Amino acid sequence: MQKMITVNINNQEYEVQEDCNIVEACDAHNIPLQRFCYHRYLPVDGSCRTCMVEIETPQGMMVTTACTTKVKPGMAIYTNSEKAVAAQKSALEFLLLDHPLDCPICDKAGECLLQDNYFDFGRYDFRRTVARYFKGGKALNAGEHIVLDQERCILCRRCIRFFDEIVRTPELGIISRGHESSISLFPEKFIRNPYSGNSADICPVGALTLKEFRFKQRVWFLKKTKSICTQCARGCSIYIEHNKNTVWRFMPRENPALNRVWMCDRGRFSFNKLHEKRIFTPLKHQEEISFNQLYDDIAELLKTRRSGEIAWVVGPFSSNETYYALKTYCGDNAVCLMPPASGERDDLLMLAEEYPNAQGATFFGLQTETAPLIDKIQKGRIAALIIVEMDLFNLRNDSFAQCLMENIHKIPLKIYLTAYRDETVARVDYVVPVRTYAETNGTFINATSLLQKACQALVPEHPDIDAACIALYTIATGARKHQRRYSDASEMYDKLRSHYDELRSFQFNQIPEYGIALNMPKRADEPFKGIHVDFNVCSTAKPLEES
Amino acid sequence: MVKIVRRPHLAGMRKLYVVEILGGLLTTLAHVLRNLFFPEKLPTVFYPENRKAIPAAYRGRHRLMKREDGSPRCTACMLCATSCPAFCIHIQAGEADDPFKEKYPVDFTIDLLRCVFCGLCVEACPLDAIRMDVPLVSFAGYRREDVILTKEILLQHENADYAHAPGYNPHRPLSVTHGVHYINFLKNIK
Amino acid sequence: MDSLTFGAINIVVMAVVMWNIPLQFIPLMIWLERKGAAIIQDRIGPLRANIFGIRLFGLLHTIADAIKLLFKEDIIPNHVHRLYYVMAPFWSMTVALVPLMLIPIASPLQIGAHLFRFQVADYSSGLVLLFAITGLGVYGTFFAGWASNNKYSLLGSLRSSAQMISYELGMGLAIVAVLMAYQEISVSSIVEKQSGMMKLFHWVVPLPNWGIFLNPVAFVVFLVSAFAETNRTPFDLVEGESEIVAGYHTEYSSMKFALFFMAEYAHMVVASIVMATLFLGGYQIPYVTTEQLRHNSHYALCAILIIIALLCLIAGIIVYKRAKAYGMSFAEKLGKKEYFVISYLLFAAALMSIFLVPLVVQMRFAALPSQIIVAALQMMALFGKAMIFLWLYVHVRWTLPRFRYDQLMNLGWKILFPVSLLNIAITGIVISFT
């Protein structure tokens, strides 16, 4: 716990943490102060000169930048004194001087710091007497995902600092001097690093924009839903930003314990997968049937089977609720298959395990040993195989998958719960469409044992499409629709939490934004191993989007 | 401030309203005689055959303005769609070849069935790209598609239905439709 | 031909005629109502319906309306009482048509030994029967409202019953005063009594001997009550579309609705003719008796011609003015010249009539033709007088707003009722002194 000190901001006493800078002190107490170059998770630069405050020094009153000044005990700070305001306004006026007024075509409009700050702190009379200087370079192809607009840049150097200090792939720099200075790629460089999308997030104006999001939607139409990224075991906190039941982008959500405010491009640009190759109607031998018929057929077929004859195979892609439903309702033959970790990995965020919830399977004690089941299948003692949310027949290097392909004829009934039309769909008897994780509530446990919730963002195409856990419950118990105990996956969570001490005190909607740290062995190192990223973090900080 | 209007007190013969009724009948009789023998004084216009010139400030159907080269002025900024209270404007943006134009509407649809003709889209447009001054007083249709305006229809300024409407000039300056104050306002911010 | 056969033929012929009079007046009244409304409100009125471009000043709209109503689907809602629901419009229409059978429209013709009456039934207490039949009219409205099984309809019909019963009282008492003045109860005798000059206390007053002059208070009470009885503005609370949708005929469609609509106008026609009969001397020409007219039938014919000429002249002027003012820009095909042609025809007719006058003055007619000429003049007089009231109906409708319900009841019970009672007393006193 850091030591707290008292400072005087605008003639009022505030408790702030020792050694934090004035911007963080103001943010902690909701005192408005504009900034462009300052970012909580980037080194302080002091290049934009807009966070000017007046402080009392032994030499007298001094106007200085708030981001470069640390608080001292008893310090007197004025953010709204005449001189401070004049300095703020002048700096802002200079920033806007050569900035093009193309907000209508700029994707940043709506979440642009220059817009926001100008509304709050700017001067509205226009004083230019000379022609505007054009820095040229609009819509330059600067990277795999990045479009650069040199004209819009206000030279805050956030992107440069991010690439230099965190990703450590220097690709951008500022060239020329004075009013001609502009941001530019280094010669023969191209933004190719796997975190490039973050530069567009932190850009306070529309100088860096994402190719994938460019002109798709205006940001004020987007609704934000708190969720997590499911592309690797890291499970970064994200916002699913959607409109008209379509996801338009993923944005990292601040989580000081996990991904800070960053996310990798692999996760960020995976949002299209939520809408590709979806399956909305139940299939029986590749022919479309109704949901009622589907559940009736399955109940009829499974009624005569003993529980020992039914095998349940799940992958590390499902939510905790699905594992709980498997564990509680589906008997002993439930196996969790771990596909090989073959993805790209690095020290920042990316992990090789390209699935989100391997820890969840462990937490719920699902069997991962496949040998007994392989044995049973080979002996023909399995009458029904139910595959849950895993493209089983696409796993080339897995022994279970190999065995399954060889002995497929020995299993008379194969049921597949899936949201996507993948390879397995073609090889099973019944396909039960389920919701994606963006269409239902759910919880996931990431590689560093952090339980996070993913809230429902989209409405499923068909109202009868259930979350996987509820579909499983229905199949396992043979319940009719009106007999179901659960109408939403969050109710399944509320049921399961009572069995675990660590979760008992949190209802689904009370799960903290930053997740619940579970006391269980971790599968991977903490993120940003050996890299300093918490440059300006102090304990009194509020979430970024609130300030 | 509540103002109480007392019921006028009527006494005696006035309570029968005889004088008032006779006065009313006389008034209408005057109209009858005048209109019977001087029908030329009636203000009626025989509409489909004779049409009055539609005033310049008339707020009618939408149209999209063009640049000199004939492409739409609209940059698909969606401010009209944002300000629309009826959610009747649907725009799909696309990337233009010219980097200084950057963005253009691939698709621009106005659903007149939903439109409430409030004119907020015109107010919101920063580029004077949308105007509501098509001099048509009736644009009914037999099918839904007839009243859903596509980009092509919106960009068509010389439609046979109204191109020769008296007093209509598709290229009329902004001051005619928006008034002098708006022009001064624009001058100030430029 | 014996007198019984002649009487039967007389009754059949007159029944057909009298039955047709209101029916012929209805489309005319609908046209008059719509044009009257338009002209009072500075509009043009219906004009667009045409056959080969010929519009006839919007008269064709009435035909178009009739065709439309005939071919509309005749809906009987499921929730209605079918018998009364179907019966109500026919009831209304029948009751509206019957009273005219008791009204003479001209003085009787002497054909040989027989007397041809221009009246279906010369019933000795005809006036009482007339009001008895009129009083049944409320059942049409009430059946409709009750059978519709709809609260607005029921409200409308309740209002209507209350209103009709209240005003029948004032009306009946006004009639009592009139009867006292005439000392007659047969309708034809009342009309006979109204010929010649008015006498008061043995002095001759320079006024025709009409009910309106004999008993003006009764006339006013009767006029107001007649408006209420026919459910016309300002007493149209029965329909009051701003309050109870359309009142008793909310649930009606097609020809059934049209029957209600026609019944209202038939009621108006009947009420106007009754008022003309009771208060404006019926078919009597002021200042001259039937006998005097019959002796000078060539003058009567001259009068007919002059009246026709005047009417044609006025109509011609009105049409010509319209032809000029409209410029006929809206017309097509034959319609381009229609108004001009019609106005010239009217002017020609007026001229013809005037040219005929000097010829007619020198003619002398035999007994029967002269009687027919006089009868024609008398019919013109009666319908002319009725037209005054019919126009008054239209005029008042587009001038006055609707009464509030309490005002309506106040007027009926607190003003008209005592006034007519007082009127009876005064009439009695006056009669006892003469």
Coordinates of all heavy atoms in Angstrom, one line a residue, chain A residues 200-232:
Chain A
A200 N -3.9 2.5 -33.0 CA -5.1 3.3 -33.4 C -6.0 3.6 -32.2 O -6.7 4.6 -32.2 CB -5.9 2.5 -34.5
D201 N -6.0 2.7 -31.3 CA -6.8 3.0 -30.0 C -6.3 4.2 -29.3 O -7.0 5.1 -28.9 CB -6.8 1.8 -29.1 CG -7.4 0.6 -29.6 OD1 -8.0 0.7 -30.7 OD2 -7.3 -0.5 -29.0
I202 N -4.9 4.2 -29.1 CA -4.4 5.3 -28.3 C -4.2 6.6 -29.0 O -4.0 7.6 -28.4 CB -3.0 4.8 -27.7 CG1 -2.1 4.4 -28.8 CG2 -3.2 3.7 -26.6 CD1 -0.7 4.1 -28.2
C203 N -4.3 6.5 -30.4 CA -4.2 7.8 -31.1 C -5.3 8.7 -30.7 O -6.5 8.3 -30.8 CB -4.2 7.5 -32.6 SG -4.0 9.0 -33.6
P204 N -5.0 9.9 -30.1 CA -6.1 10.7 -29.6 C -6.9 11.4 -30.8 O -8.0 11.8 -30.5 CB -5.4 11.8 -28.8 CG -4.0 11.9 -29.4 CD -3.7 10.5 -29.9
V205 N -6.4 11.4 -32.0 CA -7.1 11.9 -33.1 C -7.2 10.8 -34.2 O -6.9 9.6 -33.9 CB -6.4 13.2 -33.7 CG1 -6.6 14.3 -32.8 CG2 -5.0 12.9 -34.1
G206 N -7.6 11.1 -35.4 CA -7.8 10.1 -36.4 C -6.6 9.9 -37.3 O -6.8 9.5 -38.4
A207 N -5.4 10.1 -36.7 CA -4.2 9.9 -37.6 C -4.0 8.5 -37.9 O -3.5 8.1 -39.0 CB -3.0 10.5 -36.9
L208 N -4.2 7.6 -37.0 CA -4.0 6.2 -37.2 C -5.4 5.5 -37.1 O -6.1 5.7 -36.1 CB -3.1 5.5 -36.2 CG -1.7 6.1 -36.2 CD1 -1.0 5.5 -35.0 CD2 -0.9 5.7 -37.5
T209 N -5.9 4.9 -38.2 CA -7.2 4.2 -38.2 C -7.0 2.8 -38.6 O -6.0 2.5 -39.3 CB -8.2 5.0 -39.0 OG1 -7.6 5.2 -40.3 CG2 -8.7 6.2 -38.4
L210 N -8.0 2.0 -38.3 CA -7.9 0.6 -38.6 C -8.5 0.3 -39.9 O -9.6 0.8 -40.2 CB -8.6 -0.3 -37.5 CG -8.0 -0.3 -36.1 CD1 -8.8 -1.1 -35.2 CD2 -6.6 -0.8 -36.2
K211 N -7.8 -0.5 -40.8 CA -8.4 -0.8 -42.0 C -9.7 -1.6 -41.9 O -10.6 -1.5 -42.6 CB -7.4 -1.7 -42.8 CG -6.3 -0.9 -43.5 CD -5.4 -1.8 -44.2 CE -4.2 -0.9 -44.8 NZ -3.1 -1.8 -45.3
E212 N -9.7 -2.5 -40.8 CA -10.9 -3.4 -40.6 C -12.1 -2.6 -40.2 O -13.2 -3.1 -40.3 CB -10.5 -4.5 -39.6 CG -9.7 -5.6 -40.2 CD -8.3 -5.3 -40.4 OE1 -7.9 -4.1 -40.1 OE2 -7.5 -6.2 -40.8
F213 N -11.9 -1.4 -39.6 CA -13.0 -0.7 -39.0 C -13.3 0.5 -39.8 O -14.4 1.2 -39.7 CB -12.7 -0.3 -37.6 CG -13.9 0.4 -36.9 CD1 -15.1 -0.3 -36.7 CD2 -13.8 1.7 -36.5 CE1 -16.1 0.4 -36.1 CE2 -14.8 2.4 -35.9 CZ -16.0 1.7 -35.7
R214 N -12.4 0.8 -40.8 CA -12.5 2.1 -41.5 C -13.9 2.2 -42.2 O -14.3 1.4 -43.0 CB -11.4 2.1 -42.5 CG -10.8 3.5 -42.7 CD -9.5 3.3 -43.5 NE -9.4 4.3 -44.6 CZ -9.1 5.5 -44.4 NH1 -8.8 5.9 -43.2 NH2 -9.0 6.3 -45.4
F215 N -14.6 3.3 -41.9 CA -15.9 3.7 -42.5 C -17.0 2.7 -42.3 O -18.0 2.7 -43.0 CB -15.7 3.9 -44.0 CG -14.6 4.9 -44.4 CD1 -13.9 4.8 -45.5 CD2 -14.3 5.9 -43.5 CE1 -13.0 5.8 -45.8 CE2 -13.3 6.8 -43.8 CZ -12.6 6.7 -44.9
K216 N -16.8 1.7 -41.4 CA -17.8 0.7 -41.2 C -19.0 1.3 -40.4 O -20.2 1.1 -40.8 CB -17.3 -0.5 -40.5 CG -16.3 -1.3 -41.4 CD -17.1 -2.2 -42.4 CE -16.2 -3.1 -43.1 NZ -15.1 -2.5 -43.8
Q217 N -18.7 1.9 -39.3 CA -19.7 2.5 -38.5 C -19.2 3.7 -37.8 O -18.0 3.9 -37.7 CB -20.0 1.5 -37.3 CG -20.8 0.3 -37.7 CD -22.3 0.6 -37.8 OE1 -22.9 1.0 -36.8 NE2 -22.9 0.4 -39.0
R218 N -20.1 4.6 -37.5 CA -19.7 5.8 -36.6 C -19.7 5.3 -35.2 O -20.6 4.5 -34.8 CB -20.7 6.9 -36.7 CG -20.8 7.5 -38.1 CD -19.6 7.6 -38.9 NE -18.5 8.4 -38.3 CZ -18.2 9.7 -38.7 NH1 -18.9 10.3 -39.6 NH2 -17.2 10.3 -38.2
V219 N -18.7 5.7 -34.4 CA -18.5 5.1 -33.1 C -19.7 5.4 -32.2 O -19.9 4.6 -31.2 CB -17.2 5.6 -32.4 CG1 -16.0 5.1 -33.2 CG2 -17.2 7.1 -32.3
W220 N -20.4 6.5 -32.4 CA -21.5 6.7 -31.5 C -22.7 5.8 -31.6 O -23.6 5.8 -30.8 CB -22.0 8.2 -31.5 CG -22.4 8.7 -32.9 CD1 -23.5 8.5 -33.5 CD2 -21.5 9.4 -33.8 NE1 -23.5 9.0 -34.7 CE2 -22.3 9.6 -34.9 CE3 -20.2 9.9 -33.8 CZ2 -21.8 10.3 -36.0 CZ3 -19.8 10.6 -34.9 CH2 -20.5 10.8 -36.0
F221 N -22.7 5.1 -32.7 CA -23.8 4.1 -32.9 C -23.5 2.8 -32.1 O -24.4 2.0 -31.9 CB -24.0 3.7 -34.4 CG -24.5 4.8 -35.2 CD1 -24.0 5.1 -36.4 CD2 -25.7 5.5 -34.8 CE1 -24.5 6.1 -37.2 CE2 -26.2 6.5 -35.6 CZ -25.6 6.8 -36.8
L222 N -22.2 2.6 -31.8 CA -21.8 1.3 -31.2 C -22.2 1.2 -29.8 O -22.1 2.1 -29.0 CB -20.3 1.2 -31.4 CG -19.7 1.1 -32.8 CD1 -18.2 1.1 -32.8 CD2 -20.3 -0.1 -33.5
K223 N -22.7 0.0 -29.4 CA -23.0 -0.3 -28.1 C -21.8 -1.2 -27.5 O -21.4 -2.1 -28.2 CB -24.3 -1.0 -27.9 CG -25.5 -0.2 -28.5 CD -26.6 -1.2 -28.8 CE -27.6 -0.5 -29.7 NZ -27.2 -0.3 -31.1
K224 N -21.4 -0.9 -26.3 CA -20.3 -1.6 -25.8 C -20.8 -2.7 -24.8 O -21.6 -2.4 -23.9 CB -19.4 -0.7 -25.0 CG -18.7 0.3 -25.9 CD -17.8 1.2 -25.1 CE -16.9 2.0 -26.0 NZ -15.8 2.7 -25.2
T225 N -20.3 -3.9 -24.9 CA -20.6 -4.9 -24.0 C -19.3 -5.5 -23.4 O -18.4 -5.8 -24.2 CB -21.4 -6.0 -24.7 OG1 -22.6 -5.5 -25.3 CG2 -21.9 -7.1 -23.7
K226 N -19.3 -5.6 -22.1 CA -18.0 -6.1 -21.5 C -17.9 -7.6 -21.8 O -18.9 -8.4 -21.5 CB -18.1 -5.9 -20.0 CG -17.8 -4.4 -19.7 CD -18.1 -4.1 -18.3 CE -17.9 -2.6 -18.1 NZ -18.3 -2.1 -16.8
S227 N -16.8 -8.0 -22.3 CA -16.6 -9.4 -22.6 C -15.1 -9.8 -22.5 O -14.3 -9.0 -22.0 CB -17.1 -9.7 -24.0 OG -17.1 -11.1 -24.3
I228 N -14.8 -10.9 -23.0 CA -13.3 -11.3 -23.0 C -13.0 -11.8 -24.4 O -13.9 -12.2 -25.2 CB -13.0 -12.3 -21.9 CG1 -13.8 -13.6 -22.2 CG2 -13.3 -11.8 -20.5 CD1 -13.0 -14.8 -21.7
C229 N -11.7 -11.8 -24.7 CA -11.2 -12.3 -25.9 C -11.0 -13.8 -25.8 O -10.5 -14.3 -24.8 CB -9.9 -11.6 -26.3 SG -9.1 -12.3 -27.7
T230 N -11.4 -14.6 -26.8 CA -11.3 -16.0 -26.6 C -10.3 -16.6 -27.6 O -10.3 -17.8 -27.8 CB -12.7 -16.6 -26.9 OG1 -13.1 -16.2 -28.2 CG2 -13.8 -16.2 -25.9
Q231 N -9.4 -15.8 -28.1 CA -8.5 -16.3 -29.1 C -7.3 -17.0 -28.5 O -6.6 -17.8 -29.2 CB -8.1 -15.2 -30.1 CG -9.2 -14.7 -30.9 CD -9.9 -15.9 -31.7 OE1 -9.2 -16.5 -32.5 NE2 -11.2 -16.1 -31.5
C232 N -7.0 -16.8 -27.2 CA -5.9 -17.6 -26.6 C -6.2 -17.7 -25.1 O -7.2 -17.1 -24.6 CB -4.5 -17.0 -26.9 SG -4.1 -15.5 -25.9

